[in-house]
Amino acid sequence: MQLTKRQYAAYVKTMSPNSPLGRDLLGAFCIGGLICTLGQVIMNRLTAWGVPEDQVGTATSILLVFFGAALTALSLYDNLAQLGGAGTLVPITGFSNAVVSPAMEFKSEGLVTGTAVKIFAIAGPVLVFGVGASVVYGLVYWLLTL
């Protein structure tokens, strides 16, 4: 059976379920907002406990990464992602989930060939492009300040 591109597009449209856009947007807004609110609460608590101001942001990031990893390890982050969609991907907890998920999935293949290799399946490109971009930005900044 040969279909033209137009026929195939029409077929896909009839077979694909409609996305509840309003619900998806509301879920992403609410869950993403809750994660960001949690981050702000952590920052406020750390400041109230006397953590130096220049260390509060770093400590907050570390705690959010820990919470994201812990929720992933307890198989709860997927449930949160079902409700919040992209709202769980954007904050730092989404990055934590992206690192921990493949590591957990492939742990049965061994420590080195499973966990250690797969842990960077998603994080690796992010880290490579992040480091590469920082080198380029640093060089541009250096050249502009000569």
Side-chain angles (χ1 to χ4, degrees), residues 95 121-137:
F95 182 74
I122 293 182
V126 172
L127 295 172
V128 167
F129 286 108
V131 170
S134 67
V135 168
V136 170
Y137 297 147

Side-chain angles (χ1 to χ4, degrees), residues 96-139:
S96 175
N97 174 262
V99 171
V100 174
S101 291
M104 288 180 53
E105 184 177 344
F106 291 97
K107 68 182 178 184
S108 63
E109 294 182 23
L111 183 61
V112 174
T113 58
T115 303
V117 171
K118 297 299 182 177
I119 199 166
F120 293 108
I122 293 182
V126 172
L127 295 172
V128 167
F129 286 108
V131 170
S134 67
V135 168
V136 170
Y137 297 147
L139 286 173

Side-chain angles (χ1 to χ4, degrees), residues 3 52 55 64 76 110 133 143:
L3 296 176
Q55 296 176 10
L64 287 173
L76 298 174
L143 289 173

Side-chain angles (χ1 to χ4, degrees), residues 13-68:
K13 189 173 183 176
T14 60
M15 297 305 287
S16 299
N18 290 332
S19 176
L21 185 61
R23 188 205 96 33
D24 290 348
L25 291 173
L26 182 63
F29 178 79
C30 290
I31 298 298
L34 284 173
I35 292 170
C36 294
T37 301
L38 173 65
Q40 189 62 52
V41 167
I42 291 170
M43 288 182 80
N44 293 347
R45 286 284 92 216
L46 292 174
T47 301
W49 291 336
V51 175
E53 190 175 323
D54 62 333
Q55 296 176 10
V56 169
T58 302
T60 300
S61 296
I62 290 169
L63 286 169
L64 287 173
V65 166
F66 171 76
F67 290 142

Side-chain angles (χ1 to χ4, degrees), residues 72-97:
T72 301
L74 297 171
S75 299
L76 298 174
Y77 203 87
D78 287 342
N79 298 336
L80 194 63
Q82 287 291 334
L83 294 172
T88 59
L89 297 176
V90 177
I92 195 167
T93 54
F95 182 74
S96 175
N97 174 262

